[in-house]
Amino acid sequence: MSNEIKKMGLISLILMIFTSVFGFANGPIGFYRMGYSAIPWYIGAGIFFFIPFALMMAEYGAAYRKEKGGIYSWMNDSIGPRYAFIVTFMWFTSYVIWMVGTASKVWIPFSIFLFGEDKTQTWSILGLSPTKTVGILAVIWMVIVTLLASKGLKQITKVTAIGGIAVMGLNVVLIVVSLLILMLNGGNFAQDISGVKDFLVSPNPSYLSPIAILSFCVFAIFAYGGTEAVAGLVDQTKNPTKTFPKGIMIAAFIISIGYALEIFMWGISTNWDKILSGSNVNYGNITYVLMYNLGLEFGNALGLATDSAAQMANWFARVTGLSMFLAYTGAFFTLIYSPLKAIVQGTAAYWPKRMSKINKFGMPEFAMWMQCLLVVIIVLIVSFGGKSASAFYNTLTLMANVSMTLPYVFLAFAFPFFKNREGLERPFVVYKTKAITYVVTFIVVAIVGFSNIFTIIEPAMSGNYSDTIWMVVGPVFFAIIAMAIYENYHIRQRKLKK
């Protein structure tokens, strides 16, 4: 009876999915890249990616609910150990790339909190360029967080959870303040809406070609990142066969509308050409640029003096900076050990014993330091590559988007094999025929696969070969490493048998 009481109903499930998937910063990036025309892409990603993929992951999670290996167990039983290890390793390394980007970008909200503006593009240590300086700071951040997390200081996530709550509160601030600005300005939008064309064509001149537009699909998919984590909620839901699909669809609707509303609201206070066309705006600081401008326009709409309006804008930016810094910190302290612990324990046989050894704090300490070394090496290579600070942040964002979404292709591709497995207890089934299974698999694989292809080739077509190379090198390099680890393990096993 107690177990039944603890299970989630429909409303609790929707709230859990929403908080796990929705990200406030995805709206600003969408508006920066595509203006109002980002809205149909975010809605489309919710319908054609999030709903079918989340239900796939839910079927996996329900069938393998007693397995401790996570994604590895799913793939191993569906296709085989080689495929399982490579996919799981690439899933893990996507978080490595995320840490590379976040360890560098976390200094932007920190700077904005302290100074009211992004000064990372002017910082210098020992005469180094701003990009190299941020790279050094990212290394220091990675070492400190690894040291603290390896000693079990996870309590810090309880403090930084305040940041997560504050970031959710920013949504309320955006909507309320934007509506007040709209009312005070007589219903006029800063970014004019002249017709349907504004929701189809980007104001950003860099995103007018078909390939550039299609490459945005990866950003829309990334906005629904963390979908695979939803799989673990099936067992915690009352009457999951009926409640879970309904919860996924309602949550998808709410998240899609949430992103659409957020992007629409930015147009009330921000004119794309005046505010976002400068070279100082990038993927790393776009949220703070927009929040600063929101505060500035609110002050102007209230009729405040120029200095007073600027001071209000400064505090809008500072509060956003503090909220995002705490949220980043909390996420970092969780993700620095959670995916790593999952892979070294789920695939322990492939690693030296020292890698899977857990210290007295329940942490794989040696593996965490090896992970730290890997992140540090990548950070130094990218940051000392000669790019400007803005280009550096943009490259890191593109690398993270590709590396985080690419594993979805392999998880979806294995789904028909999973459906063909016999003898599995399947307490939760949505796709009940082979035809619908193959159609849904094709849609998800095609959307994510082609989105990544367009994202990768788009910079090269505009002459930016460096970004294309970095996006390709990461997944290819880690796939080769995974194959080498797998083959080395089996060579050792064969020798032992002799």
Side-chain angles (χ1 to χ4, degrees):
M1 189 72 179
S2 60
N3 287 340
E4 197 64 36
I5 293 171
K6 291 179 183 177
K7 290 194 173 185
M8 294 183 291
L10 180 62
I11 302 300
S12 298
L13 175 65
I14 292 167
L15 288 172
M16 184 72 78
I17 295 170
F18 181 85
T19 53
S20 299
V21 173
F22 187 86
F24 178 75
N26 292 316
I29 287 179
F31 187 77
Y32 174 46
R33 282 194 66 139
M34 299 285 284
Y36 296 129
S37 65
I39 291 174
W41 289 96
Y42 276 51
I43 293 174
I47 295 170
F48 296 107
F49 167 71
F50 177 67
I51 291 174
F53 186 71
L55 293 174
M56 281 183 183
M57 296 304 102
E59 284 206 29
Y60 276 129
Y64 297 112
R65 62 196 180 283
K66 296 177 183 177
E67 298 288 340
K68 293 182 179 180
I71 289 172
Y72 178 79
S73 297
W74 305 354
M75 300 297 100
N76 182 38
D77 197 53
S78 299
I79 294 183
R82 179 184 278 104
Y83 185 89
F85 184 77
I86 293 171
V87 172
T88 306
F89 190 80
M90 289 184 71
W91 167 80
F92 158 70
T93 54
S94 71
Y95 287 98
V96 170
I97 299 299
W98 179 87
M99 283 186 275
V100 169
T102 304
S104 304
K105 289 191 287 187
V106 73
W107 296 101
I108 296 176
F110 183 74
S111 167
I112 289 169
F113 170 61
L114 291 182
F115 308 110
E117 61 180 305
D118 176 17
K119 288 184 175 289
T120 62
Q121 299 182 54
T122 61
W123 283 354
S124 177
I125 297 176
L126 301 175
L128 293 173
S129 69
T131 305
K132 292 174 183 175
T133 298
V134 170
I136 297 298
L137 290 172
V139 169
I140 294 170
W141 170 269
M142 190 67 200
V143 171
I144 291 173
V145 175
T146 299
L147 179 64
L148 295 176
S150 67
K151 301 305 178 186
L153 298 180
K154 292 181 287 182
Q155 290 86 350
I156 196 167
T157 58
K158 294 177 182 177
V159 178
T160 55
I162 297 169
I165 295 168
V167 169
M168 293 302 293
L170 292 177
N171 289 286
V172 178
V173 172
L174 170 63
I175 293 169
V176 172
V177 173
S178 295
L179 291 175
L180 287 172
I181 292 172
L182 187 66
M183 183 177 66
L184 292 168
N185 287 343
N188 295 315
F189 283 68
Q191 183 68 24
D192 288 334
I193 301 173
S194 55
V196 176
K197 183 182 177 183
D198 292 306
F199 293 91
L200 301 175
V201 180
S202 171
N204 187 340
S206 300
Y207 293 93
L208 296 175
S209 70
I211 288 186
I213 293 169
L214 289 169
S215 72
F216 179 71
C217 195
V218 160
F219 284 82
I221 292 169
F222 186 77
Y224 295 89
T227 305
E228 69 277 12
V230 172
L233 300 177
V234 177
D235 278 356
Q236 302 171 36
T237 306
K238 294 177 187 174
N239 191 12
T241 306
K242 290 183 178 179
T243 306
F244 201 84
K246 190 184 294 183
I248 287 287
M249 290 180 202
I250 295 173
F253 176 78
I254 294 172
I255 293 168
S256 300
I257 296 303
Y259 283 136
L261 183 62
E262 186 183 356
I263 292 165
F264 189 71
M265 289 291 156
W266 287 124
I268 293 173
S269 59
T270 305
N271 179 275
W272 198 97
D273 287 327
K274 290 180 181 178
I275 307 300
L276 305 182
S277 59
S279 60
N280 62 319
V281 182
N282 55 63
Y283 295 137
N285 67 13
I286 179 60
T287 300
Y288 318 103
V289 170
L290 287 172
M291 284 300 290
Y292 177 93
N293 190 63
L294 180 70
L296 184 65
E297 292 301 320
F298 186 41
N300 291 336
L302 290 171
L304 299 181
T306 303
D307 289 346
S308 298
Q311 191 173 9
M312 177 180 282
N314 189 278
W315 279 106
F316 266 62
R318 284 175 185 263
V319 170
T320 304
L322 177 61
S323 302
M324 294 296 287
F325 178 75
L326 290 173
Y328 274 143
T329 304
F332 216 103
F333 267 86
T334 299
L335 295 176
I336 201 168
Y337 74 88
S338 184
L340 178 66
K341 193 172 182 179
I343 191 171
V344 296
Q345 291 190 314
T347 62
Y350 295 96
W351 304 98
K353 288 184 179 179
R354 197 174 177 186
M355 284 290 284
S356 56
K357 186 178 179 182
I358 303 299
N359 67 13
K360 63 182 180 181
F361 303 107
M363 295 292 183
E365 186 172 0
F366 179 77
M368 288 175 73
W369 284 110
M370 290 298 99
Q371 174 182 257
C372 178
L373 179 62
L374 178 60
V375 171
V376 165
I377 290 171
I378 298 172
V379 165
L380 292 176
I381 290 173
V382 178
S383 61
F384 279 72
K387 286 178 175 282
S388 68
S390 278
F392 172 60
Y393 291 131
N394 289 345
T395 298
L396 291 175
T397 300
L398 291 171
M399 286 173 64
N401 284 358
V402 170
S403 64
M404 294 289 283
T405 56
L406 197 57
Y408 297 160
V409 174
F410 302 105
L411 287 168
F413 178 78
F415 190 66
F417 296 91
F418 157 73
K419 294 292 282 185
N420 288 332
R421 287 281 288 114
E422 295 180 359
L424 274 179
E425 183 187 349
R426 302 176 190 267
F428 177 77
V429 178
V430 176
Y431 304 115
K432 297 181 179 179
T433 67
K434 282 191 175 183
I436 193 66
T437 296
Y438 286 122
V439 168
V440 169
T441 299
F442 175 79
I443 290 171
V444 173
V445 170
I447 288 174
V448 182
F450 282 112
S451 298
N452 275 284
I453 290 170
F454 292 132
T455 300
I456 290 167
I457 66 173
E458 189 273 327
M461 294 191 71
S462 57
N464 185 1
Y465 296 101
S466 174
D467 279 359
T468 293
I469 290 169
W470 275 114
M471 284 186 278
V472 171
V473 164
V476 171
F477 173 74
F478 288 126
I480 292 170
I481 294 294
M483 286 187 279
I485 293 170
Y486 178 85
E487 294 304 330
N488 180 58
Y489 165 74
H490 282 279
I491 288 170
R492 286 188 284 114
Q493 290 298 108
R494 285 195 290 270
K495 285 181 179 178
L496 287 174
K497 288 179 181 178
K498 289 180 181 179

